[in-house]
Amino acid sequence: MNGNEKITVVINTYNAERHLNACLEAVKDFDEVLICDMESTDRTLDIAHSHGCKVVTFPKGEHRIVEPARQFAIDRAENPWVLVVDADEIVPCALRHYLYEAIQKPTGFAAIAIPRKNYFMGRMMHSSYPDYVLRFLKREHCHWPPVIHASPEVNGRVIKIPSARQDLAFEHLANDTVADIIAKNNTYSDYEVPRRRKKNHGIMALLCRPAFRFFKSYFLKRGCLDGLPGLIHAVLDAGYQFAIVAKLIEERQEKRHSS
């Protein structure tokens, strides 16, 4: 379909029943839809099978993040191009048409970064747009590191969809609550600690990193246009940075006391 070049949609899942029907309905017209499930215990697999998806399993084990399963899933796609979609994201029809048109032309790119609309307290956040995610890839030219928040490593030219093209942006349905964000910040900051152990963060980082993140989110990225939700979101962003630095300092203090 859609010319000689074909696309596989890859969706990593774990207990993703909440938005999966809507997600799969939006990608049904791609050449292949592959679900890589991390041993879900809810209705995720039933929903996937009802949509006729190809399903593979990645053992969850002790993993609390999706990145270790990304490359595993991509390697099992049948087609040369892959569109990696989260189970709480919607792919607009306009984006599907754009991607198929792009790969029929001799443009020489290996990946496309796609903007994403994020929501909080029921509204799209200016401070979180365009939130580019590198998700459309030539399979043989990419590698996805098994590290939290990692982007794929691409051997080739990467292009971006212009941020003004909001009609081509992923719709992120998560609309996380304050409690959701705090819980995620706690999990994600745990994974950030090993990555930053070589940085000798102290009291200045404890104060300055959260302050800069707040300034960036609320002013530079125009969170101030989002009213009270924008203010709350900026404070939560700052709290994430505070948690990372505080955990690094705590770890260092514990080592000193134990020695």
Side-chain angles (χ1 to χ4, degrees), residues 52-112:
C53 302
K54 176 181 176 180
V55 177
V56 297
T57 301
F58 181 88
K60 184 177 186 298
E62 298 300 316
H63 297 299
R64 291 194 291 165
I65 58 174
V66 68
E67 282 78 9
R70 293 288 201 196
Q71 189 63 44
F72 177 89
I74 291 170
D75 288 342
R76 281 147 185 81
E78 291 184 0
N79 297 309
W81 292 93
V82 293
L83 176 64
V84 179
V85 180
D86 284 347
D88 59 359
E89 293 173 341
I90 298 295
V91 178
C93 290
L95 177 59
R96 174 168 53 84
H97 292 307
Y98 176 92
L99 296 177
Y100 273 110
E101 288 177 5
I103 61 178
Q104 306 308 325
K105 303 171 184 176
T107 52
F109 64 85
I112 298 179

Side-chain angles (χ1 to χ4, degrees), residues 115-117 124-131 163 165-166 169:
R116 180 170 62 174
K117 299 175 184 176
M124 191 190 106
M125 302 299 291
H126 290 82
S127 61
S128 298
Y129 187 82
D131 186 27
S163 60
R165 292 294 307 273
Q166 290 196 23

Side-chain angles (χ1 to χ4, degrees), residues 10-256:
V10 170
I11 305 173
N12 291 89
T13 57
Y14 176 68
N15 289 350
E17 66 179 7
R18 182 179 179 187
H19 299 295
L20 189 57
N21 265 315
C23 174
L24 292 177
E25 184 64 25
V27 299
K28 64 182 181 182
D29 291 325
F30 284 88
D31 299 288
E32 180 188 36
V33 179
L34 185 150
I35 298 286
C36 179
D37 188 67
M38 296 176 74
E39 301 179 324
S40 291
T41 58
D42 64 357
R43 294 183 56 252
T44 293
L45 291 180
D46 292 336
I47 295 169
H49 288 305
S50 73
H51 284 266
C53 302
K54 176 181 176 180
V55 177
V56 297
T57 301
F58 181 88
K60 184 177 186 298
E62 298 300 316
H63 297 299
R64 291 194 291 165
I65 58 174
V66 68
E67 282 78 9
R70 293 288 201 196
Q71 189 63 44
F72 177 89
I74 291 170
D75 288 342
R76 281 147 185 81
E78 291 184 0
N79 297 309
W81 292 93
V82 293
L83 176 64
V84 179
V85 180
D86 284 347
D88 59 359
E89 293 173 341
I90 298 295
V91 178
C93 290
L95 177 59
R96 174 168 53 84
H97 292 307
Y98 176 92
L99 296 177
Y100 273 110
E101 288 177 5
I103 61 178
Q104 306 308 325
K105 303 171 184 176
T107 52
F109 64 85
I112 298 179
I114 301 170
R116 180 170 62 174
K117 299 175 184 176
N118 293 292
Y119 294 82
F120 179 63
M121 293 188 175
R123 65 189 299 169
M124 191 190 106
M125 302 299 291
H126 290 82
S127 61
S128 298
Y129 187 82
D131 186 27
Y132 278 108
V133 285
L134 192 53
R135 299 279 195 79
F136 188 64
L137 312 155
K138 189 81 168 181
R139 187 162 55 90
E140 63 184 18
H141 292 299
C142 77
H143 171 72
W144 209 304
V147 179
I148 189 169
H149 293 157
S151 292
E153 298 168 352
V154 178
N155 180 20
R157 180 167 161 253
V158 177
I159 64 174
K160 281 186 176 183
I161 293 175
S163 60
R165 292 294 307 273
Q166 290 196 23
D167 61 314
L168 302 180
F170 281 136
E171 290 275 350
H172 193 193
L173 300 178
N175 196 19
D176 288 336
T177 65
V178 171
D180 291 333
I181 294 174
I182 290 173
K184 287 182 179 181
N185 284 353
N186 188 46
T187 297
Y188 294 161
S189 59
D190 283 346
Y191 278 88
E192 286 288 348
V193 168
R195 296 176 62 185
R196 305 194 187 198
R197 281 195 179 113
K198 293 182 180 180
K199 296 183 181 294
N200 191 29
H201 287 320
I203 189 169
M204 289 300 295
L206 193 65
L207 298 174
C208 294
R209 289 186 66 87
F212 177 74
R213 178 55 68 95
F214 176 86
F215 180 79
K216 180 180 179 180
S217 178
Y218 195 65
F219 294 107
L220 298 183
K221 300 190 74 175
R222 303 182 301 155
C224 53
L225 299 179
D226 295 319
L228 188 56
L231 177 62
I232 294 171
H233 199 267
V235 172
L236 292 170
D237 278 350
Y240 177 56
Q241 292 299 315
F242 183 88
I244 292 170
V245 178
K247 288 179 179 182
L248 283 166
I249 293 174
E250 178 184 52
E251 182 182 77
R252 208 160 54 235
Q253 293 285 343
E254 289 177 350
K255 286 181 179 179
R256 287 173 182 168

